[in-house]
Amino acid sequence: MKIIEARNYHDMSQKAAQFIIEKVNLLASPVLGLATGGTPLGTYKYLREDHLNHHTSYSHVYTVNLDEYVGIPPDNEHSYFSYMKKQLFDHIDIPRSHTHLPDGMAKDLSAECHRYEDLIKLLGGIDLQLLGIGMNGHIGFNEPGTPFSSKTHLVELTSSTRKANARYFDSLATVPFQAVTMGISTIMESKQILLLVSGAKKAEIMAKLLNEETNKDTPASVLKRHQDVIIIADSDALALVKERSRSY
Ligand code: PGA
């Protein structure tokens, strides 16, 4: 894993956007794996600005998102589809038919999981997967204990994840209990992975990730087994890593 230290959230976001733009300019038909949540908001803002000011084109880009809530219609403001439209898709020239998220409204969710895996294969796999990390080490909605062999699957959200995401909803009671997420093995099959980590609240999980051996209780630790992972973390997120390495 290669670690790039950013000064702060904005610096992290700028560096991540630059990384994505280079990939978009380099490849003939890049497949980007995208993430939602608070961490990539700044990255998407820089991508929007860059598209406006430097006209980077996304007409040849395909996207697959990590996850989607179950039971929230795409046009509902809380769906990850709405998030992606608002933060990125509505502001760049990507054809809507090139953008994909799991369908959390599918009647047969198990068939939907298979369809999503097949779709990723059909697109030729993910060239660059953007990831955040949960405070409990989850990636996508792969909570602690998820088998490393998992493909796209239906998950019951843990209460800590529901609480963490309640800030986007009117109340905790309205946060969905289930989601469809790419599995750990789906993520690990990406050719390259870009993990973004920001803020003091992620310092503990960063220290755990970097100091512990790969284990199922910290799903993100599986990334140590991938040959091309870049972590862009800001100094607040790296504070404990540095403190602990100084005390050895
Ligand atoms: P966050 O979420 O970016 O909102 O911190 C990350 C995650 O839970 O994967």
Side-chain angles (χ1 to χ4, degrees), residues 35-41 66-67 80 83 131-136 138-141 161 164-165 167-168 196 198 201-202:
T36 52
T39 309
L41 285 172
L66 276 172
D67 42 26
Y80 284 164
Y83 171 109
L131 282 185
I133 184 171
M135 282 186 279
N136 63 2
H138 74 204
I139 46 176
F141 275 130
T161 296
N165 290 4
R167 65 191 193 273
Y168 301 114
L196 305 183
S198 169
K201 66 178 192 296
K202 299 287 173 73

Side-chain angles (χ1 to χ4, degrees), residues 34-37 65-70 78-80 102 131-134 136-147 150-158 160-166 168-169 175-184 187 219:
L34 297 179
T36 52
N65 263 77
L66 276 172
D67 42 26
E68 178 60 283
Y69 288 121
V70 167
H78 297 305
S79 75
Y80 284 164
L131 282 185
I133 184 171
N136 63 2
H138 74 204
I139 46 176
F141 275 130
N142 294 287
E143 304 288 7
T146 306
S150 54
K151 299 286 187 191
T152 300
H153 61 291
L154 176 66
V155 286
E156 305 291 326
L157 302 179
T158 60
S160 77
T161 296
R162 289 187 66 247
K163 274 187 201 136
N165 290 4
Y168 301 114
F169 290 80
V175 181
F177 286 87
Q178 292 182 314
V180 171
T181 182
M182 282 185 199
I184 292 181
I187 294 170

